[in-house]
Amino acid sequence: MIVDERIKDVRNRAAAGGFGIMYIFLLFDLLLRQFYFKQQPDSYWDIMMIWFAASLYVGIKMYSSGMMSGRVGQQFKVMIPVIFITIIATFYFMGEISSVHDVIGLIVGIVPTLLILFLFYNYLNRRWEKKNEMDE
Amino acid sequence: MKNSINMKMKLARVEKNLSQQQLADLVSATRQTIGLIEKRNYNPSLNLCIKIAKALDKTLDQIFWEESHDSR
């Protein structure tokens, strides 16, 4: 059976659409479990891991294919405050934050994670730029 | 009025006495894809354009270039 570029293209678009739907609904499911059903994270950690793995995969693909070339720093400048606010707000609404110490604890936990993510994505982007001779 | 069929490609194919299926086999595509390209309902990649041009013994210009190109 011949699989030509048009069929591949349609197949890829269908798969991407399906992935998008699953990604959004998994996130919706996680939020629902967390905030509406008040479930403990250890009862849905597997779904959370799938969602994080998918997010990481999308990030790796985007950064290693040069989609973010020249915009990595700019991207993280926007991402870092958004992630900070989201995580702190989430924990606050869950009733996990009662003092400044808790906030500091969260920041200490978030900063290394974001730093590792930034360095990793930056490395992928640099590698792509070097490979394609776009180093300045 | 804009011609909605890629006549250049169709004529080149007919000149070579090839059916859509035969051309498709030559360029490793499906008959449906060739039909859609001729009807301008699918924009082929440059690779496929080159394969088609080579199979029809024409240049890319002769088959795909249009003076008043309508990119859709």
Side-chain angles (χ1 to χ4, degrees), chain A residues 13-24:
Chain A
R13 268 190 279 169
F19 172 81
I21 292 168
M22 206 155 71
Y23 189 79
I24 297 291

Side-chain angles (χ1 to χ4, degrees), chain A residues 76-126:
Chain A
F76 269 79
K77 263 184 210 164
V78 179
M79 269 166 67
I80 288 169
V82 170
I83 291 171
F84 261 113
I85 293 166
T86 309
I87 293 176
I88 290 172
T90 306
F91 276 78
Y92 176 78
F93 286 116
M94 282 169 70
E96 300 280 339
I97 292 175
S98 53
S99 67
V100 182
H101 283 97
D102 294 337
V103 178
I104 294 168
L106 266 178
I107 290 171
V108 169
I110 298 166
V111 167
T113 312
L114 285 178
L115 189 70
I116 290 167
L117 206 61
F118 173 74
L119 290 174
F120 179 52
Y121 283 163
N122 200 43
Y123 161 74
L124 292 176
N125 182 61
R126 284 262 166 217

Side-chain angles (χ1 to χ4, degrees), chain A residues 53-70:
Chain A
S55 306
L56 195 68
Y57 178 79
V58 170
I60 290 170
K61 274 284 179 195
M62 280 164 77
Y63 285 90
S64 62
S65 59
M67 269 180 76
M68 298 297 165
S69 180

Side-chain angles (χ1 to χ4, degrees), chain A residues 2-7 9, chain B residues 29-30 32-33 36 42 44-45:
Chain A
I2 297 169
V3 180
D4 70 7
E5 60 172 44
R6 183 181 59 88
I7 294 171
D9 186 43
Chain B
T30 57
Q32 289 85 347
T33 299
L36 288 171
Y42 174 67
S45 70

Side-chain angles (χ1 to χ4, degrees), chain B residues 9 23 27 34 37 48-56 64:
Chain B
M9 180 170 155
L23 177 59
V27 299
I34 299 298
I37 296 169
L48 185 54
C49 288
I50 292 170
K51 278 186 192 172
I52 291 170
K54 280 184 177 171
L56 298 176
F64 295 105

Side-chain angles (χ1 to χ4, degrees), chain B residues 9-26:
Chain B
M9 180 170 155
K10 197 170 182 177
L11 281 174
R13 178 173 61 77
V14 173
E15 260 176 36
K16 287 274 291 181
N17 258 331
L18 290 172
S19 65
Q20 285 187 342
Q21 184 62 62
Q22 285 166 325
L23 177 59
D25 292 341
L26 284 174

